[in-house]
């Protein structure tokens, strides 16, 4: 079974918008999270979807699922205090129905431009290797600074990638990685791949796309609006 | 659902669009799997139409020969993952006061209705990740038919519609002018549908003509073809060269014969009307297929020998992972001199 875990537990504190989390912001009449869910809902290889949602927005999510006829969502899981806790909540919620070799495709709800190809590649590589991360090569030189004032290091650009989502894992592997992190009191990881590396497992790369960017700021929102050209698929 | 889409915006210039795919009533959402580029697509790519016409066309998704996979069907006509051919002719529903009255003429049909739309001509084509499309314009492809070969369904359907345009008795000597892909497919279709007919093909390139499953072939200009007593001739040449081909047919064909024109020419072509009158010839036009022709095409493709003959037209598969690959595919098809088509595998 291939289960998408859509993370919608964030509050959008960097957006300036205070009345709703960023994943519920409308883009041309449709909330960002719906665009994301539709792509997974209509992907033939996705069997079910779990949404990790802010507790107080669960009813709103249910209304959207009904309105937009998103049919594969089987679990709505309460979000945690951190990203790590949110994902662990989903892992636990799925424990009765997941087998060890089932694949979890963990994706940010605020990356609505994830493509069919990226999802397919995540699934096939996760089945083969157990753990995969979606990345794009870094086009810019990245510098490292510790004091926020001077450069500490300029890492070799060809070795650097920008991490995206989905990150996909065999169920048993991601469960073990999270439990190991909790055991070691590592409770605020922003990335599941770090946790998998922590149990000595390799994480393979799947090529993402620049368009699969994350909506975190008002600039990103503007960019998304500019990219989506609605009304172009006119039908008789 | 958001999906990528490549639209031509000016000659030799594609832009990437992100479209929101909405599945309306009576529609399914199809993920495009394979497509091929036809001569009409190349004309739009090169901008080889008059400027005003192009002004009405751009921006537009090209490609109308495509097959895909069902990803969403609220009508429950298809199962998810079913393979389908997309029929590019869309006829508006419930036309009132239509003066054409063409839909019920069996040699023509609704595809000749002046109100109908055609993908990649006056309507967006299939150069995209997903398309929402009317259920009635989707024809299922059985499991045993390879999707690459099924991409030729549109051309096979056109060949069937060309046969439908003029009622063959089935024992005539038939001439096909043109050694391109349509001429080849028409030759294959006629051989399978009218096994008692004799098929003669005429073209410029012997290397191509040799590959046709015809009874005999002639290089254009060969006077011996007059002795074949051709009574029905199909012109599958198109462009400026169609003038020479039509006049050669007029010279060769028996008095009282029928000529079916299928090649598209952008400019007006000169033909010898005096001789047409002398011989009492009939001229027909045919180039548009309808849904039933697509269904027949898929039935024909289930025949192993027929499918093998059509498979000979498969040139290389070109992976379309991004817009750069899409440009490369058009440039490859532009320089293609072989008998066959490149097949575009969409994985955008």
């Amino acid at each position: 079974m291939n289960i998408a875990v859509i993370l919608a537990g964030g509050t959008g504190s960097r957006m300036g918008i205070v009345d709703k989390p960023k994943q519920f912001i409308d883009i041309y009449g449709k909330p960002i999270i719906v665009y994301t869910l539709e792509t997974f809902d209509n992907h033939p290889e996705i069997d079910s979807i779990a949404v990790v949602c802010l507790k107080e927005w669960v009813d709103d999510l249910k209304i959207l699922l009904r309105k937009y006829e998103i049919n594969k969502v089987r679990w709505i899981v309460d979000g945690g205090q951190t990203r790590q806790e949110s994902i662990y909540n989903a892992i636990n919620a799925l424990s009765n129905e997941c087998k060890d070799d089932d694949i979890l495709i963990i994706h940010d709800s605020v990356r609505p431009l994830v493509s069919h190809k990226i999802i397919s590649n995540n699934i096939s590589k996760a089945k083969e290797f157990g753990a995969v991360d979606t990345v794009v090569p870094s086009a810019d030189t990245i510098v490292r600074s510790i004091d926020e004032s001077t450069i500490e290091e300029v890492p070799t650009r060809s070795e650097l990638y920008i991490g995206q989502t989905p990150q996909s894992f065999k169920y048993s592997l991601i469960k073990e990685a999270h439990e190991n992190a909790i055991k070691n009191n590592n409770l605020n990881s922003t990335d599941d791949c770090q946790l998998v590396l922590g149990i000595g497992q390799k994480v393979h790369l799947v090529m993402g796309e620049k368009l699969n960017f994350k909506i975190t700021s008002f600039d990103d929102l503007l960019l998304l609006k500019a990219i989506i050209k609605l009304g172009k698929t006119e039908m008789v | 659902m958001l999906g990528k889409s490549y639209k031509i915006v000016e000659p030799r210039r594609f832009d990437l669009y992100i479209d929101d795919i909405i599945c309306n009533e009576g529609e399914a959402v199809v993920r495009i799997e394979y497509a091929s580029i036809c001569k009409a697509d190349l004309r739009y790519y090169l901008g080889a139409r008059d400027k005003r016409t192009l002004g009405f066309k751009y921006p537009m998704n090209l490609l109308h020969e495509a097959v895909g996979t069902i990803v969403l069907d609220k009508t429950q006509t298809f199962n998810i993952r079913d393979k389908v051919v997309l029929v590019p002719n869309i006829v508006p529903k419930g036309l009132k006061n239509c003066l054409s009255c063409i839909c019920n003429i069996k040699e023509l049909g609704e595809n000749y209705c002046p109100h109908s739309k055609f993908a990649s001509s006056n309507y967006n084509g299939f150069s995209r990740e997903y398309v929402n499309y009317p259920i009635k314009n989707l024809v299922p492809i059985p499991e045993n038919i390879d999707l690459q070969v099924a991409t030729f369904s549109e051309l096979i359907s056109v060949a069937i519609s060309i046969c439908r345009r003029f009622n063959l008795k089935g024992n005539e000597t038939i001439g096909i002018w043109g050694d391109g892909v349509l001429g080849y497919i028409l030759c294959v279709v006629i051989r399978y549908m009218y096994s008692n007919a004799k098929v003669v093909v005429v073209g410029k390139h012997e290397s191509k003509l040799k590959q046709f499953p015809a009874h005999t072939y002639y290089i254009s200009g060969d006077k011996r073809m007059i002795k074949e007593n051709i009574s029905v001739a199909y012109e599958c040449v198109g462009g400026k060269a169609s003038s020479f081909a039509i006049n050669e047919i007029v010279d060769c064909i028996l008095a009282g014969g029928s000529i079916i024109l299928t090649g598209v020419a952008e400019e007006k072509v000169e033909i010898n009307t005096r001789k047409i009158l002398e011989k009492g010839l009939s001229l027909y036009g045919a180039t548009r297929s309808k849904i039933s022709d697509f269904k027949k095409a898929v039935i024909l493709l289930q025949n192993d020998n027929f499918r093998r003959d059509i498979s000979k037209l498969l040139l290389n598969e070109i992976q379309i992972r991004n817009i750069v690959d899409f440009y490369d595919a058009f440039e490859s098809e532009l320089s293609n001199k072989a008998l066959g088509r490149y097949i575009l595998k969409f994985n955008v």
Side-chain angles (χ1 to χ4, degrees):
Chain A
M1 207 162 49
N2 303 317
I3 301 166
V5 177
I6 305 299
L7 304 175
T11 55
S13 54
R14 282 171 281 179
M15 296 293 279
I17 296 171
V18 293
D19 65 329
K20 59 173 71 172
K22 58 191 173 186
Q23 58 272 26
F24 288 95
I25 294 171
D26 264 29
I27 302 289
Y28 300 121
K30 197 188 279 186
I32 293 172
I33 188 172
V34 174
Y35 287 113
T36 308
L37 285 170
E38 282 180 334
T39 301
F40 283 90
D41 199 51
N42 294 329
H43 195 294
E45 292 176 73
I46 296 292
D47 298 299
S48 313
I49 301 171
V51 183
V52 183
C53 185
L54 284 167
K55 205 171 182 177
E56 52 274 34
W57 281 82
V58 166
D59 283 346
D60 300 83
L61 175 65
K62 285 179 178 170
I63 291 166
L64 291 176
L65 296 179
R66 194 184 136 118
K67 180 176 176 185
Y68 291 98
E69 298 178 67
I70 310 283
N71 297 313
K72 289 184 184 170
V73 175
R74 284 184 58 200
W75 302 273
I76 297 177
V77 182
D78 287 346
Q81 293 299 310
T82 62
R83 177 189 172 91
Q84 186 181 337
E85 190 184 341
S86 288
I87 295 170
Y88 190 58
N89 288 353
I91 291 168
N92 281 331
L94 299 173
S95 62
N96 287 337
E97 301 202 40
C98 269
K99 297 193 188 95
D100 285 354
D101 279 348
D102 286 346
I103 304 295
L104 297 196
I105 301 100
I106 301 170
H107 186 67
D108 297 324
S109 62
V110 285
R111 292 185 190 268
L113 287 164
V114 62
S115 68
H116 183 108
K117 180 170 64 177
I118 291 176
I119 297 169
S120 293
N121 290 344
N122 261 262
I123 292 169
S124 64
K125 289 277 181 78
K127 280 181 178 165
E128 187 179 354
F129 299 114
V132 296
D133 191 12
T134 306
V135 298
V136 286
S138 173
D140 297 317
T141 297
I142 293 182
V143 298
R144 182 162 180 260
S145 174
I146 295 171
D147 60 7
E148 296 182 20
S149 169
T150 57
I151 291 178
E152 179 74 15
E153 181 191 7
V154 182
T156 308
R157 195 179 69 180
S158 61
E159 295 174 359
L160 296 178
Y161 295 85
I162 311 291
Q164 299 186 330
T165 66
Q167 296 180 326
S168 303
F169 312 93
K170 284 190 176 161
Y171 179 76
S172 56
L173 184 65
I174 190 67
K175 188 167 188 259
E176 183 191 342
H178 271 262
E179 286 169 351
N180 179 67
I182 292 167
K183 199 170 82 184
N184 293 319
N185 208 27
N186 172 12
L187 301 176
N188 201 14
S189 166
T190 56
D191 192 293
D192 286 290
C193 294
Q194 286 174 324
L195 305 185
V196 172
L197 292 172
I199 57 170
Q201 290 287 327
K202 277 192 172 178
V203 179
H204 286 254
L205 303 182
V206 168
M207 277 306 132
E209 296 165 10
K210 271 189 177 178
L211 278 175
N212 181 29
F213 63 92
K214 188 175 180 181
I215 314 293
T216 54
S217 67
F218 202 79
D219 294 344
D220 300 325
L221 202 60
L222 180 67
L223 197 56
L224 179 65
K225 276 187 162 178
I227 287 170
I228 300 176
K229 295 178 182 176
L230 289 181
K232 298 290 182 188
T233 50
E234 71 277 11
M235 188 48 76
V236 181
Chain B
M1 178 174 51
L2 299 174
K4 296 194 190 82
S5 156
Y6 302 142
K7 289 187 181 179
I8 187 143
V9 293
E10 58 181 271
R12 277 195 149 105
R13 182 65 54 87
F14 293 113
D15 270 357
L16 170 65
Y17 282 65
I18 301 293
D19 292 329
D20 188 19
I21 310 299
I22 297 165
C23 188
N24 301 305
E25 193 183 340
E27 293 179 353
V29 176
V30 180
R31 182 167 195 254
I32 302 297
E33 299 276 357
Y34 289 95
S36 56
I37 301 168
C38 108
K39 289 275 187 284
D41 295 315
L42 291 177
R43 285 194 289 272
Y44 286 121
Y45 178 61
L46 293 173
R49 304 285 302 267
D50 74 80
K51 207 174 171 184
R52 187 169 285 169
T53 303
L54 291 174
F56 283 111
K57 306 282 184 184
Y58 296 159
M60 178 172 70
N61 294 94
L62 297 181
L63 308 185
H64 59 268
E65 300 166 5
V67 294
T69 307
I70 300 284
V71 296
L72 175 65
D73 176 13
K74 290 178 183 172
T75 71
Q76 298 186 327
T77 309
F78 294 99
N79 294 316
I80 305 305
R81 298 183 196 232
D82 276 0
K83 311 293 183 196
V84 291
V85 185
L86 296 99
V87 180
N89 303 81
I90 299 205
V91 182
K93 287 177 277 189
L95 275 179
K96 288 178 183 167
N97 305 321
C98 177
L99 299 175
S100 305
C101 299
I102 226 162
C103 295
N104 296 324
I105 301 172
K106 81 174 165 59
E107 291 83 4
L108 294 170
E110 74 276 4
N111 43 327
Y112 286 91
C113 172
H115 304 287
S116 71
K117 294 190 174 186
F118 194 86
S120 81
S121 176
N122 55 0
Y123 187 65
N124 278 322
F126 307 130
S127 56
R128 39 185 154 164
E129 193 174 8
Y130 304 103
V131 60
N132 52 314
Y133 216 62
I135 291 288
K136 65 180 178 61
N137 280 59
L138 299 172
V139 175
I141 304 170
E143 283 293 323
N144 65 324
I145 300 177
D146 183 73
L147 277 187
Q148 287 179 314
V149 185
T151 310
F152 288 102
S153 298
E154 202 271 339
L155 275 167
I156 298 167
S157 77
V158 169
I160 292 168
S161 78
I162 290 168
C163 293
R164 186 165 50 76
R165 185 69 186 89
F166 174 79
N167 287 319
L168 288 167
K169 287 185 207 139
N171 57 358
E172 303 95 329
T173 298
I174 295 167
I176 297 174
W177 265 254
D179 52 25
V181 172
L182 181 61
Y184 178 91
I185 291 180
L186 182 61
C187 181
V188 175
V189 166
I190 288 174
R191 289 303 311 275
Y192 278 84
M193 288 177 61
Y194 305 96
S195 55
N196 292 327
K198 182 181 180 187
V199 180
V200 177
V201 291
V202 181
K204 280 187 171 177
H205 308 94
E206 188 168 17
S207 59
K208 292 183 185 180
L209 292 168
K210 275 180 178 172
Q211 299 176 60
F212 281 54
H215 293 93
T216 185
Y217 69 84
Y218 292 95
I219 302 298
S220 191
D222 189 333
K223 300 295 178 199
R224 289 174 299 172
M225 67 180 85
I226 294 174
K227 292 181 182 165
E228 291 288 349
N229 294 329
I230 293 167
S231 60
V232 180
Y234 294 92
E235 174 272 319
C236 304
V237 176
K240 287 177 187 166
S242 58
S243 173
F244 183 87
I246 295 167
N247 287 319
E248 189 167 65
I249 294 171
V250 170
D251 288 341
C252 291
I253 198 165
L254 293 174
S258 298
I259 304 171
I260 298 93
L261 308 176
T262 78
V264 178
E266 287 308 322
E267 292 167 26
K268 291 170 184 165
V269 297
E270 286 187 5
I271 57 173
N272 186 349
T273 54
R274 166 176 280 273
K275 202 159 228 172
I276 292 171
L277 303 182
E278 268 177 24
K279 286 187 159 183
L281 303 179
S282 303
L283 268 69
Y284 299 82
T287 186
R288 295 180 176 195
S289 55
K290 57 182 184 177
I291 295 167
S292 59
D293 298 320
F294 277 79
K295 289 179 178 168
K296 280 181 192 158
V298 171
I299 291 169
L300 279 174
L301 278 170
Q302 292 185 64
N303 179 308
D304 291 342
N305 293 328
F306 182 86
R307 202 163 61 243
R308 196 160 45 243
D309 280 342
I310 296 295
S311 300
K312 290 175 185 169
L313 295 173
L314 287 169
L315 302 179
N316 289 347
E317 180 178 305
I318 299 177
Q319 289 283 327
I320 307 295
R321 294 156 299 193
N322 51 47
I323 202 161
V324 178
D325 291 337
F326 198 57
Y327 275 108
D328 290 346
F330 270 77
E331 291 297 328
S332 296
E333 195 59 61
L334 266 179
S335 56
N336 175 22
K337 303 285 181 215
L339 176 63
R341 288 269 172 87
Y342 290 102
I343 298 296
L344 282 54
K345 170 72 180 103
F346 274 76
N347 193 19
V348 296

